[in-house]
Amino acid sequence: MGADIAEQLNEETRRRYVKGKKLGEGTYAIVYRGHLAADPAQAVAIKKIKVNADYKDGLTMDAIREVKFLQELSHPNIIAMHAVFSSRNQNLNLVLEFLPLGDLEMLIRGSDSVAYGIADIKAWMAMLARAVHFCHSRFVLHRDIKPNNLLIAADGTVKLADFGLARGFADPYSPMTHNVITRWYRPPELFFRARFYSGAVDVWSMGCVFAELVMRTPFMPGNTDIDQVSVISRAIGTPTEDNWPGVSSLEGYVPVAKDKVNPVQGKQYYLGLFGLVGPLGVDLLMSMLVLDPRRRATTRKVLAHDWWRAEPKPTKKEELPKKGGGESRVGEDLKRRGGELENGRSDKVARKLDFGGK
Amino acid sequence: MAEDDIYRSSTQYRLWSFSRSALHELRERTNHLAAARVRAAFPPSAPVPDCLTPSEELALVTYYCKQCLSLGSFLDFPTGVVATATQYLKRFYLTNSPMTYHPKALLPTALFLATKTENHHVPLRDFARRLPRTEPDDVLAPEFLLTQGLRFAFDVRHPHRGLKGAYLELRALADGKGVAPPRSARAGASPADLQREMRRLPPRSTKGEAAATATALADTDKDRDAAPPAALQQRLQDAYGRANESLRGPALLSDAYFHFSPAQIWLGALWAADEPLARFYVATKLPAASGAAPTRQDGGGGGAPLASTKRLVPALQACADMLAAHSDDGAGPSSSSSSSATAAAAAPGARSKDDLVRIDKKLYQCRNPDKLDLVGLNRAQKRDQAGLDGRLDENVAKRRRVEREKGEKEAEEVFGGALKGVGNGGGGEDAGGGEGTTEAEKKEMAA
Ligand SMILES: Nc1ncnc2c1ncn2[C@@H]1O[C@H](COP(=O)(O)OP(=O)(O)O)[C@@H](O)[C@H]1O
């Protein structure tokens, strides 16, 4: 007996791929290696969404968001989703491009440290900036930019991945949740529980990644949400009405006694920490880490910055330093990240609490 | 179709845009397959069921889309959620038949999925509690089926925001604060010129005067009195109101989303609401004829994928006709006053209530008995049970009888008092008379 057309289409898609061995496991998915049935040389990654027994509302928001946005976004610096299919027992499978060289976090802090320089950072940051600009031009916020969501293709291209927290922001009157973005990369307005925000939240995260690439350690590693606000105040400056008009009317804003206010750090301070990237690079970094989201750089401004054209030129992607090994590293990476969770990094806090939507 | 890159890369364009003939064929194929499955699922001894025709299926789906709109406003959901849910239903039923999955069962699921995809997630329990006789399981059981039918494309692009943008631009033009971009037909006109021109626009035509308006517009308006500012503002507001209405109803119920880009839909709605105004707006945006096709760069409007007036106008006219044909949809027997043949053909949902009751009754005779218990099917499939089909087969006959009886009762509930007027509560095998039968017969012969 023939199946419905919808079923047939799904079946055709499923048959186009062969699932291989397990590559890794994340919070809400298991990732397998796979290839095209017709051509074993064409590798893919198959991300099988786990059934979440605690979630009583059907398909999870993570899965919905990831599928929804990856279906619409096609860009060289965003992980490509080739297809989606369901298996017989109703598991959702995302066929993604295979990205065998780990992620930026592994390059930044890998056990056998990879040497890289300013030109490499410039190349990686440019790819990140293009990816985020593309998202924003399509009215999509990523809301979880961090080094381990920046995967690396076999040819060295950086690809923004993990759209499980993304959302559209075309409607400026629709409130959003403030509980997004992994803590160390989360901008101050979200700690103050802003409900109306913009692409500036992602730009802050980009700034944090930039700083981390230079320092090779997270720039603002807070231990708790409250601690994170003080870390930001120390690292960048205390948000006040002076440097951020309107901040005190945000719901979660806590006034700071005058004598406790840290002035916004000047260029000298940044040059001291990030002088490696030169005055132009520092200028770009500072523009991404402006406290007031309205004065923070947009991705358009970021891309127009002179730093990209200044010496040294960004490294060609084929010449970018790579973490050798590929697949065997994936396992290490998972172990390492598990450890970090114990150290209080709580990577997934935002995601877990975000089921309420908005 | 659309010129715009962003729209072109969307799933709405890639997976869910069709020519009229392709859409028609797809519905025929879906109906055909489903009917064959229904027949195969009935035991040979039973009388061959009289299956729904594609147009009957469409009428039923359109009816449930309308129910979706009512349910959405009853639940006080944002426009975006409700609009998306209706498109989910319309998309789902391009490759699935109501004979296999009753739209009544899919409606809450579509609405619930839309709350999740449109950032308005309502906890399932609360959602189910607010619906009559609905358990959380009833809502979730078809979710997977629905996502598969949607080909895992959850994004739906709507015209509502674009219309709002255009309205704001038109208001600025009326206030003498608007400009027309360099390559548009009105490039070079000063804000004051544009305002003057706008005040002298011919009055909007009522139906049947469209041709006259077009000529009137051609030999411009030197003699016409300028409308006072307040009157112009009122006119804008009225046009916006009417266009908005058609985006909230006809645009969602018709096949507009399958044939037109969001920009074409809102412009089509504006066209239907006030054609001279829409023509003027288009002239301030686009070159009269393409040639040097401009890339879109206007900030407002919502990114209309338009090339030139010349190419756009026929699409807008067609879209406006389609919306008009659906504008009185549901208000009893179709009273379509449109003279256009395309418009009449594009109003398949305009069925009388009696006719819908007849179709719904007919459906209860030809539902695929294997797919009645969605909750049970879903549970079984999740457990990945192999022996599923056999087990169901044993129950088919009994289940079918029970469902038939239950079906009649449910139809009564869904369509309320209307059933009483129809009489003939027995609803025998020959329930489908007239057009339905002939179409079914044609299909039989073709098979
Ligand atoms: N496209 C891919 N190509 C190769 N490996 C991948 C790909 N996506 C994910 N992986 C591997 O599978 C693991 C789990 O993926 P994911 O669920 O996205 O991780 P997480 O939840 O940790 O971000 C990742 O740590 C990575 O090693």
Side-chain angles (χ1 to χ4, degrees):
Chain A
M1 193 192 311
D4 288 312
I5 295 177
E7 255 171 86
Q8 288 175 22
L9 288 169
N10 184 60
E11 199 52 34
E12 272 168 35
T13 311
R14 172 157 36 135
R15 291 221 195 90
R16 241 184 289 147
Y17 303 96
V18 175
K19 198 185 269 181
K21 67 170 188 166
K22 187 168 153 180
L23 283 175
E25 186 163 349
T27 343
Y28 82 112
I30 302 174
V31 182
Y32 300 87
R33 209 196 143 111
H35 60 81
L36 270 180
D39 181 3
Q42 299 281 325
V44 295
I46 298 182
K47 186 166 179 172
K48 179 171 148 186
I49 307 297
K50 290 194 230 174
V51 176
N52 183 342
D54 298 338
Y55 189 65
K56 301 289 180 212
D57 283 21
L59 200 53
T60 61
M61 295 301 294
D62 282 311
I64 285 178
R65 292 186 180 122
E66 176 125 286
V67 171
K68 175 176 170 177
F69 292 110
L70 287 184
Q71 284 272 35
E72 308 298 322
L73 298 169
S74 165
H75 185 273
N77 299 113
I78 295 175
I79 189 169
M81 186 169 73
H82 301 304
V84 186
F85 64 84
S86 58
S87 35
R88 188 101 182 88
N89 52 356
Q90 303 201 342
N91 277 108
L92 198 57
N93 293 268
L94 283 52
V95 182
L96 301 169
E97 68 180 311
F98 181 56
L99 303 171
L101 296 184
D103 57 51
L104 268 194
E105 189 186 27
M106 295 163 75
L107 286 174
I108 294 169
R109 285 192 295 289
S111 41
D112 47 302
S113 67
V114 176
Y116 61 75
I118 303 308
D120 306 319
I121 294 177
K122 194 177 274 186
W124 288 323
M125 281 306 295
M127 291 189 268
L128 170 59
R130 284 195 285 267
V132 180
H133 178 66
F134 184 81
C135 291
H136 291 182
S137 72
R138 262 58 176 175
F139 294 101
V140 174
L141 300 178
H142 184 279
R143 305 198 303 181
D144 201 14
I145 292 167
K146 56 180 173 181
N148 77 349
N149 281 337
L150 293 162
L151 306 188
I152 300 170
D155 70 352
T157 308
V158 168
K159 308 258 182 178
L160 181 58
D162 197 345
F163 279 70
L165 282 175
R167 74 158 277 170
F169 68 108
D171 182 357
Y173 303 108
S174 164
M176 301 185 266
T177 177
H178 50 83
N179 203 354
V180 288
I181 306 185
T182 302
R183 187 189 307 127
W184 301 346
Y185 307 89
R186 198 185 306 160
E189 63 268 30
L190 295 186
F191 292 102
F192 297 152
R193 282 179 254 150
R195 305 306 299 251
F196 300 94
Y197 52 84
S198 65
V201 298
D202 286 338
V203 173
W204 177 277
S205 308
M206 286 165 60
C208 297
V209 172
F210 189 10
E212 186 167 335
L213 278 167
V214 180
M215 298 174 86
R216 298 198 72 149
T217 181
F219 178 38
M220 295 183 278
N223 291 318
T224 61
D225 284 4
I226 293 184
D227 182 44
Q228 186 69 35
V229 177
S230 23
V231 171
I232 291 173
S233 299
R234 265 176 273 128
I236 293 175
T238 308
T240 62
E241 279 292 324
D242 293 334
N243 57 41
W244 180 350
V247 66
S248 59
S249 55
L250 289 174
E251 192 191 319
Y253 179 75
V254 185
V256 180
K258 272 228 151 45
D259 56 323
K260 297 265 162 51
V261 167
N262 301 310
V264 172
Q265 302 286 2
K267 191 152 186 177
Q268 280 314 315
Y269 160 85
Y270 283 93
L271 278 169
L273 281 173
F274 305 101
L276 270 174
V277 294
L280 276 173
V282 162
D283 184 74
L284 174 60
L285 175 65
M286 288 175 73
S287 74
M288 297 188 209
L289 294 175
V290 171
L291 293 171
D292 181 351
R294 270 164 308 181
R295 290 191 296 124
R296 204 173 297 150
T298 59
T299 51
R300 183 178 299 281
K301 271 194 125 165
V302 167
L303 285 176
H305 202 277
D306 289 335
W307 185 59
W308 310 110
R309 281 163 291 277
E311 291 298 328
K313 294 275 182 285
T315 311
K316 292 200 193 76
K317 63 174 188 274
E318 316 83 63
E319 288 158 21
L320 281 166
K322 286 176 190 120
K323 189 106 169 139
E327 278 173 48
S328 60
R329 305 284 169 190
V330 170
E332 272 177 38
D333 171 55
L334 287 173
K335 273 180 246 144
R336 183 164 50 77
R337 244 183 280 164
E340 274 166 12
L341 275 168
E342 284 160 24
N343 296 340
R345 170 135 179 216
S346 63
D347 262 24
K348 299 296 174 185
V349 148
R351 159 165 303 151
K352 283 209 183 102
L353 296 176
D354 197 46
F355 284 148
K358 297 278 153 75
Chain B
M1 196 46 88
E3 315 290 332
D4 181 86
D5 280 348
I6 297 183
Y7 179 61
R8 287 239 173 168
S9 66
S10 71
T11 49
Q12 182 151 323
Y13 179 74
R14 289 187 291 119
L15 303 178
W16 297 106
S17 289
F18 306 90
S19 68
R20 283 172 202 252
S21 59
L23 192 66
H24 182 76
E25 267 166 43
L26 186 54
R27 285 183 171 136
E28 294 265 330
R29 230 177 95 204
T30 297
N31 169 268
H32 208 77
L33 259 168
R37 293 179 78 194
V38 168
R39 290 188 198 104
F42 276 67
S45 54
V48 177
D50 185 17
C51 289
L52 295 188
T53 64
S55 76
E56 287 172 334
E57 291 183 329
L58 181 55
L60 208 60
V61 171
T62 308
Y63 172 80
Y64 280 98
C65 286
K66 212 178 308 161
Q67 291 297 95
C68 183
L69 296 180
S70 320
L71 186 56
S73 61
F74 167 73
L75 295 172
D76 215 12
F77 284 167
T79 316
V81 173
V82 186
T84 294
T86 58
Q87 297 316 297
Y88 283 175
L89 286 172
K90 288 193 68 96
R91 289 175 178 186
F92 178 81
Y93 284 107
L94 287 188
T95 55
N96 289 280
S97 161
M99 292 186 281
T100 318
Y101 305 110
H102 200 295
K104 195 167 53 180
L106 265 294
L107 163 53
T109 313
L111 202 49
F112 180 65
L113 182 64
T115 69
K116 291 197 281 184
T117 59
E118 294 286 337
N119 297 303
H120 192 75
H121 182 210
V122 182
L124 176 60
R125 266 167 182 291
D126 302 347
F127 180 79
R129 204 176 294 137
R130 298 191 64 188
L131 305 185
R133 296 177 303 277
T134 308
E135 294 300 318
D137 259 5
D138 298 323
V139 180
L140 278 196
E143 188 184 53
F144 205 79
L145 208 61
L146 177 62
T147 58
Q148 181 179 275
L150 296 177
R151 305 184 65 183
F152 309 105
F154 301 130
D155 190 51
V156 181
R157 276 148 211 258
H158 296 293
H160 305 80
R161 204 171 304 121
L163 179 65
K164 180 104 192 253
Y167 173 58
L168 295 177
E169 286 176 332
L170 281 166
R171 270 184 32 183
L173 286 161
D175 288 345
K177 292 175 191 149
V179 286
R183 278 141 124 189
S184 70
R186 289 293 180 282
S190 71
D193 291 342
L194 291 168
Q195 184 186 41
R196 204 169 307 119
E197 186 183 348
M198 204 175 178
R199 286 196 182 153
R200 288 170 195 273
L201 286 175
R204 102 187 156 94
S205 62
T206 41
K207 274 172 192 162
E209 292 169 31
T213 315
T215 2
L217 196 65
D219 67 333
T220 32
D221 23 56
K222 300 238 163 43
D223 314 323
R224 195 173 296 115
D225 285 334
L232 182 54
Q233 288 296 352
Q234 188 60 46
R235 176 176 182 171
L236 289 184
Q237 220 168 50
D238 291 346
Y240 176 58
R242 277 192 303 273
N244 225 344
E245 278 308 299
S246 74
L247 295 191
R248 284 160 189 268
L252 297 169
L253 300 172
S254 69
D255 287 335
Y257 280 56
F258 292 134
H259 298 314
F260 304 103
S261 70
Q264 288 170 334
I265 296 173
W266 62 255
L267 270 166
L270 194 62
W271 194 275
D274 189 335
E275 188 184 314
L277 192 63
R279 277 185 188 275
F280 169 75
Y281 178 78
V282 170
T284 65
K285 286 286 167 195
L286 298 175
S290 64
T295 45
R296 300 280 305 159
Q297 46 190 292
D298 59 299
L306 323 162
S308 74
T309 309
K310 207 174 160 202
R311 288 185 53 192
L312 179 67
V313 165
L316 297 189
Q317 218 129 33
C319 182
D321 282 350
M322 188 177 276
L323 300 179
H326 270 268
S327 62
D328 44 24
D329 178 16
S334 169
S335 59
S336 177
S337 46
S338 170
S339 53
S340 151
T342 43
R351 297 262 194 163
S352 71
K353 204 156 198 167
D354 290 355
D355 203 23
L356 279 165
V357 173
R358 176 189 64 74
I359 297 171
D360 201 53
K361 275 182 155 182
K362 188 177 169 189
L363 175 58
Y364 277 101
Q365 311 298 324
C366 62
R367 291 184 64 186
N368 188 330
D370 295 348
K371 304 283 186 184
L372 291 176
D373 178 16
L374 289 179
V375 173
L377 268 175
N378 181 52
R379 238 179 247 139
Q381 214 175 50
K382 270 196 186 149
R383 287 196 305 263
D384 209 3
Q385 280 194 355
L388 176 68
D389 288 356
R391 202 176 42 116
L392 272 178
D393 272 346
E394 292 165 20
N395 293 324
V396 160
K398 185 179 158 212
R399 223 182 260 266
R400 200 181 72 225
R401 202 174 48 244
V402 172
E403 273 301 322
R404 264 187 206 175
E405 287 158 13
K406 200 171 132 216
E408 263 141 40
K409 259 191 251 126
E410 281 179 41
E412 210 159 350
E413 283 166 17
V414 170
F415 295 102
L419 258 184
K420 287 177 198 119
V422 185
N424 186 24
E429 252 71 298
D430 53 3
E435 175 210 31
T437 317
T438 22
E439 281 197 40
E441 279 164 1
K442 263 186 251 153
K443 285 218 64 101
E444 289 293 332
M445 291 190 293

